Amino acid sequence: MKLLTYSLLLALLPGMVIAETQLYKYTDENGRVHFTDRPPADVATESITIKSYDGPVDVTDYSSALKPDTDKKVVMYMTEWCGYCKKASRYMDANNIPYTEYDVEKSSRANSEHKRLGGKGVPLILVGKKKMSGFNAGRLGGILAGQ
């Protein structure tokens, strides 16, 4: 049984890519926390390694689930450096899903709204009144289709 399990895992591994991203965290003189891909020379930083799965993306066309006269407005709270935010954007662009992006690091209003909505990370995606933390193509497609 173990041999079968290992064989199955080995067969699946070539299709999966796990990427590592090195980020640096620091706090500025105003107490605001920042994340960057290059450590600033003049402040102490904490090194953070993020592992992400870069597997296949479901590109099923859910655009027909969105009708202009529905309340299914799509809003995404994101950051520029977030890999999952980029995947979510690519998914919505590929499926012709209209959406509005708000960068929580560049806009204090977006940051406040993100916190008010209970956001603890990015992306935070709203489809009408439904909220999704993180990005999963199948889950987002289901929400868009009204499931």
Side-chain angles (χ1 to χ4, degrees), residues 18-131:
I18 297 181
E20 285 191 6
T21 303
Q22 189 68 44
L23 294 178
Y24 301 91
K25 175 183 172 183
Y26 68 94
T27 306
D28 67 17
E29 62 276 355
N30 297 320
R32 295 180 69 188
V33 177
H34 299 270
F35 294 89
T36 180
D37 59 351
R38 295 186 186 144
D42 57 341
V43 294
T45 61
E46 176 185 343
S47 178
I48 299 170
T49 301
I50 298 175
K51 292 183 180 182
S52 63
Y53 169 72
D54 194 21
V57 175
D58 177 10
V59 290
T60 306
D61 185 2
Y62 292 103
S63 59
S64 62
L66 289 175
K67 295 180 178 58
D69 58 345
T70 68
D71 65 344
K72 290 187 178 181
K73 180 179 175 185
V74 179
V75 175
M76 179 170 63
Y77 294 89
M78 47 70 74
T79 61
E80 191 174 298
W81 53 265
C82 170
Y84 287 104
C85 299
K86 290 175 185 171
K87 284 183 182 186
S89 292
R90 284 194 304 262
Y91 173 85
M92 289 187 274
D93 290 342
N95 287 289
N96 299 315
I97 299 167
Y99 65 100
T100 304
E101 259 181 7
Y102 295 109
D103 191 320
V104 299
E105 291 182 335
K106 293 182 179 177
S107 165
S108 59
R109 184 174 181 187
N111 188 296
S112 296
E113 188 66 14
H114 178 259
K115 287 178 184 175
R116 186 188 70 74
L117 291 164
K120 301 206 185 307
V122 288
L124 177 67
I125 302 171
L126 303 175
V127 179
K129 294 181 182 180
K130 293 192 178 189
K131 178 172 69 171

